[in-house]
Amino acid sequence: SGLDPTDTIANSFTGSIVTRATNTSDVGNYEILQGTLTSVKYSINFTSGVLSKSIMRLKASLYFSSYSN
């Protein structure tokens, strides 16, 4: 239920969780796996999850002005 007050994630865990999703992956759902995440101080009870990658629409308005002498 949390880390000891003197511990940090950096000094208590090594490795990382992983997913097959990359920056260039198609839109979709990708499983999150425990990967190489370990700790000598804490036990890890991993519950798999899902990373959802979707399209973000960007709306931009451009305004131009002209200036003449």
Side-chain angles (χ1 to χ4, degrees):
S1 67
L3 297 178
D4 183 282
T6 60
D7 289 339
T8 66
I9 291 174
N11 73 14
S12 300
F13 298 91
T14 59
S16 63
I17 59 174
V18 295
T19 181
R20 289 184 175 84
T22 66
N23 290 343
T24 59
S25 295
D26 290 332
V27 168
N29 294 324
Y30 297 88
E31 186 177 14
I32 299 171
L33 306 167
Q34 184 171 346
T36 60
L37 186 64
T38 60
S39 175
V40 295
K41 296 179 83 174
Y42 295 92
S43 62
I44 299 171
N45 296 314
F46 183 78
T47 302
S48 63
V50 174
L51 170 72
S52 296
K53 185 173 181 181
S54 60
I55 295 173
M56 177 183 274
R57 300 201 186 278
L58 175 64
K59 182 178 180 180
S61 299
L62 300 174
Y63 297 95
F64 295 94
S65 62
S66 61
Y67 177 79
S68 61
N69 283 338

